[in-house]
Amino acid sequence: MFGIVRPCSHRLGEGLKTQWMAHLCGLCLALRGDHGQFARVVTNYDGLLISVLTEAQAERATGWRRTAGPCPLRGMRTASVAQGEGARLAAAVSLVLASAKVRDHVADGDGLLARKPVALAARRVATSWGRAGARTGSAVGFDTAVLVDAVDRQIGIEALAGPGTPLLTVTEPTETATAAAFAHTAVLAGRPGNAAPLAEAGRLFGRLAHLLDAVEDRETDAASGAWNPLTATGTPLTEARRLADDALHGIRLALREAEFTEGRLAHVLLVHELGRSVDRAFGTSGCGHTAEGAHGSHGSPGSGRLLDVPGSAVLLAPEGSFGPPPQQGNPYTGGGNPFGGGPSFPPPAPGKRGFWAGCAAAVGLCCTCKMCCADEYEGPWSRKKREGCLSDCDCDCGCCEACKCCECCECCECCDCGL
């Protein structure tokens, strides 16, 4: 899984997380269905944006979802997944760009690819992926030649770039490729009027993808002697950040000009989460709703908070004015008793498993990947609730609780989205 838009489930909320997973699984299954099991390795977070944009513009109708069977990466659970032309276009773009990425690594002689037998095998895989992407793209009316041409031009531009070369000259091929892919989602969704604004959003997204990749790899490339656009052109980080912020602003403006049937997920990914990706790459925090300033314009601690919801104003009581918040669960156990007092009777802990039963449970957890991928699973011997090792989020959840900008943008001024 690679990509710059890596949302946290705490920020998305249950509804948007389910939609996001539907597109991620839909892309993975589209790759498997058209190109075999091995093609699933090119599944990436950015590629699913194509599927998200296509569905966001389309009129609501049946056929956009199907129920997929159990999968180890979902903890052997079934799920509703995206299907159709949006998922297939996402698969085509992912294959072609992955093919280009492999060829680029082969040309640079990165890692094991410096060895001739490995490089030869990688070239064959890249060629196969490029042809497969072209076939799938043709099936949905998208000419992947624009992607291949962009990749070829990228190599020549990098060879000629040096100190003083404008950084946007280096990012142009990537911008052109992503612009074409984003614009074609409007064609698939039957909204040709959206092609121009989405092409602009795609162009700026491609610029961001190239910039953030360069920023994140700058130190590693310097240590290994690999080519990096920032180092090669002599572009300082301050200028790269300015270009990234301008691109973010341009994407917001472009999305406002497009018409969506249901664009909430697309907005959250391309505005909120993309902004966080920029902050993550540059090692900054773009959220002003920190623990100290969580009240901010909503009021000071102890004075009550005004929740500004369109059409109403709700005054929340000052913290601590009515004692501690009620506990969840049985209202008549201990401190949760609304009438006060009373003993506390915590629920009994689940009984531990024996050695052999725990071994069997551990094997089951490993075989179904629950220990890695499930949000929560039961310890094989202790039976205590534990989190999957890949379920850690990348956000400060304290900020999420104070801001809630992905759940109710009405009370957060992160942007003028009006969701």
Side-chain angles (χ1 to χ4, degrees):
M1 300 291 185
F2 53 92
I4 63 173
V5 182
R6 303 191 292 271
C8 164
S9 60
H10 289 86
R11 292 192 299 259
L12 286 182
E14 194 60 35
L16 291 183
K17 178 187 174 184
T18 300
Q19 291 184 42
W20 184 79
M21 286 298 299
H23 288 284
L24 183 63
C25 293
L27 169 57
C28 180
L29 293 175
L31 287 165
R32 184 198 68 179
D34 289 344
H35 310 292
Q37 289 282 0
F38 185 65
R40 299 171 82 173
V41 302
V42 308
T43 303
N44 67 94
Y45 294 147
D46 294 344
L48 69 86
L49 290 173
I50 302 297
S51 178
V52 170
L53 283 172
T54 303
E55 186 174 290
Q57 299 170 79
E59 296 295 334
R60 296 279 78 86
T62 58
W64 288 99
R65 291 283 191 274
R66 72 177 180 87
T67 301
C71 174
L73 296 180
R74 292 193 298 268
M76 296 307 293
R77 294 188 297 267
T78 60
S80 176
V81 302
Q83 66 173 349
E85 293 184 330
R88 297 189 71 194
L89 175 61
V93 172
S94 297
L95 282 166
V96 173
L97 295 184
S99 170
K101 195 175 187 72
V102 170
R103 290 203 304 270
D104 184 53
H105 285 306
V106 170
D108 292 341
D110 295 335
L112 290 176
L113 295 176
R115 300 181 180 180
K116 290 185 178 180
V118 179
L120 179 61
R123 285 194 191 95
R124 290 180 177 176
V125 170
T127 301
S128 173
W129 282 349
R131 291 172 179 169
R135 289 195 304 270
T136 301
S138 177
V140 295
F142 180 66
D143 186 3
T144 58
V146 65
L147 306 183
V148 176
D149 176 68
V151 172
D152 292 339
R153 286 190 297 108
Q154 186 75 53
I155 297 173
I157 289 174
E158 290 182 359
L160 296 174
T165 301
L167 187 58
L168 296 187
T169 299
V170 180
T171 64
E172 181 274 325
T174 307
E175 296 177 21
T176 301
T178 50
F182 273 46
H184 197 68
T185 65
V187 177
L188 295 182
R191 289 186 182 267
N194 283 351
L198 289 183
E200 177 67 5
R203 183 179 68 83
L204 296 173
F205 180 83
R207 177 182 301 178
L208 269 177
H210 204 132
L211 282 174
L212 299 191
D213 183 63
V215 171
E216 291 176 343
D217 294 345
R218 190 170 62 104
E219 293 182 0
T220 304
D221 291 342
S224 63
W227 193 91
N228 184 284
L230 298 180
T231 305
T233 60
T235 304
L237 283 178
T238 52
E239 175 63 10
R241 181 61 195 251
R242 185 189 69 80
L243 292 173
D245 288 339
D246 286 349
L248 281 174
H249 184 63
I251 289 173
R252 290 179 181 175
L253 296 179
L255 291 179
R256 288 180 183 178
E257 296 179 9
E259 295 182 2
F260 296 100
T261 303
E262 174 50 69
R264 183 176 174 82
L265 179 59
H267 174 88
V268 167
L269 295 178
L270 287 171
V271 175
H272 294 275
E273 294 301 330
L274 194 53
R276 289 187 176 93
S277 297
V278 172
D279 290 332
R280 181 170 58 242
F282 285 92
T284 60
S285 176
C287 182
H289 300 72
T290 57
E292 295 81 9
H295 298 279
S297 61
H298 304 306
S300 58
S303 64
R305 291 179 292 155
L306 185 63
L307 210 59
D308 186 13
V309 180
S312 66
V314 182
L315 182 64
L316 302 183
E319 295 181 8
S321 59
F322 295 107
Q327 303 295 317
Q328 298 297 321
N330 187 342
Y332 300 101
T333 57
N337 190 337
F339 303 105
S344 176
F345 301 103
K352 295 182 179 180
R353 290 190 179 95
F355 176 76
W356 295 112
C359 288
V363 170
L365 289 171
C366 290
C367 291
T368 59
C369 292
K370 280 191 175 182
M371 198 172 287
C372 292
C373 303
D375 290 336
E376 189 179 74
Y377 68 92
E378 195 177 71
W381 287 278
S382 67
R383 303 191 72 174
K384 293 180 180 179
K385 296 297 183 183
R386 305 184 186 279
E387 289 187 355
C389 59
L390 297 183
S391 65
D392 293 338
C393 65
D394 64 348
C395 72
D396 176 3
C397 295
C399 171
C400 295
E401 292 168 0
C403 180
K404 301 289 186 185
C405 54
C406 291
E407 295 180 15
C408 58
C409 290
E410 298 92 344
C411 61
C412 174
E413 297 179 359
C414 292
C415 67
D416 297 325
C417 56
L419 286 178

